[in-house]
């Protein structure tokens, strides 16, 4: 078309000094709010993984759910949530990981992934990689095979990808 392909980065808003001074926050809500941009993001992720033999899509609470669920639907896969501590009702595996201050615990149901299953892990954004590393540990504790790790946004300057060495990492937008 005359306007060319939709540029996803045009729908990310920069918010200086959020949540604290010195941090430039990449806000994805304009992209979610625009029907064409949201659809393009999901369709491009689906195109990247179609034919990859993904069996289950794992989404990371909470912004990861927004992308993981429609992607699972398009790929014809089930959806599995990684949730913050204390939210899942059945038997869980859990992993504790470091935050800037203190720690956090994430959980997954023990029957959510079968040994050898080909899993795609999805989150909205890769920063330090701490959150997605914890999700990866959960999948691997259950014997799942991590076939891919997908993000809408990667903050390359935080070097999160270095923690994901040896894995297939894909991001639609890089800063
Ligand atoms: C944000 C984001 C990623 C994570 C990235 O989630 O959605 O999950 O941080 O940071 P990291 O790579 O340094 O771990 P947040 O914890 O703010 O939770 P939310 O999705 O519930 O807003
Ligand atoms: N934007 C959104 N989420 C985030 C960011 C950011 O810049 N950094 C860590 N989580």
């Amino acid at each position: 078309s005359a306007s060319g392909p939709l540029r996803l980065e045009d729908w990310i808003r920069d918010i200086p000094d959020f949540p604290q001074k010195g941090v430039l926050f990449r806000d994805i809500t304009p992209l979610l709010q625009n029907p064409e941009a949201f659809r393009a993001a999901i369709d491009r992720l689906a195109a990247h993984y179609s034919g990859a033999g993904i069996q289950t899509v794992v989404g990371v609470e909470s912004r990861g759910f927004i992308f993981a669920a429609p992607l699972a639907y398009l790929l014809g896969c089930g959806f599995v949530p990684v949730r913050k501590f204390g939210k899942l009702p059945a038997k869980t595996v859990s992993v504790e990981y470091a935050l800037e201050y203190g720690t956090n615990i994430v959980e997954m149901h023990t029957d959510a992934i079968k040994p050898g299953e080909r899993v795609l892990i999805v989150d909205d954004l890769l920063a330090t990689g701490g959150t997605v590393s914890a999700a990866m540990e959960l999948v691997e504790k259950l014997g799942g095979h991590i076939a891919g790790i997908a993000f809408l946004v990667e903050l390359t300057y935080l070097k999160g990808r270095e923690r994901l060495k040896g894995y297939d990492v894909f991001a639609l937008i890089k800063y």
Side-chain angles (χ1 to χ4, degrees):
S1 74
S3 54
L6 186 146
R7 296 188 322 164
L8 294 174
E9 58 272 29
D10 291 348
W11 298 94
I12 306 293
R13 174 166 63 184
D14 292 348
I15 310 284
D17 300 318
F18 184 89
Q20 54 198 61
K21 198 146 183 61
V23 175
L24 182 62
F25 192 86
R26 311 293 185 170
D27 176 19
I28 67 165
T29 63
L31 181 144
L32 298 176
Q33 202 177 327
N34 179 267
E36 291 78 25
F38 184 38
R39 182 184 292 236
I42 300 300
D43 285 349
R44 288 174 200 183
L45 288 170
H48 186 82
Y49 291 102
S50 80
I54 303 298
Q55 295 172 294
T56 296
V57 178
V58 166
V60 184
E61 185 175 358
S62 56
R63 282 177 268 155
F65 291 174
I66 300 165
F67 298 90
L71 189 53
Y73 177 91
L74 284 180
L75 294 176
C77 298
F79 167 83
V80 167
V82 166
R83 297 218 58 185
K84 282 153 191 169
F85 177 81
K87 299 286 188 179
L88 289 171
K91 190 171 180 228
T92 60
V93 278
S94 47
V95 166
E96 187 171 9
Y97 65 101
L99 298 172
E100 194 172 358
Y101 299 103
T103 63
N104 199 10
I105 296 171
V106 286
E107 297 184 318
M108 188 185 280
H109 277 146
T110 54
D111 61 0
I113 307 272
K114 300 286 169 263
E117 210 166 289
R118 291 177 62 81
V119 174
L120 173 64
I121 300 177
V122 177
D123 204 351
D124 67 320
L125 183 139
L126 174 62
T128 66
T131 305
V132 80
S133 297
M136 291 163 69
E137 240 184 277
L138 291 173
V139 170
E140 291 185 336
K141 271 190 184 196
L142 297 176
H145 171 76
I146 300 170
I149 309 170
F151 303 94
L152 176 68
V153 178
E154 175 181 1
L155 306 181
T156 63
Y157 46 90
L158 295 179
K159 307 203 187 300
R161 204 177 266 260
E162 289 181 4
R163 297 179 64 159
L164 313 179
K165 279 218 177 83
Y167 292 89
D168 188 308
V169 180
F170 177 67
L172 290 174
I173 305 168
K174 295 182 188 195
Y175 292 106

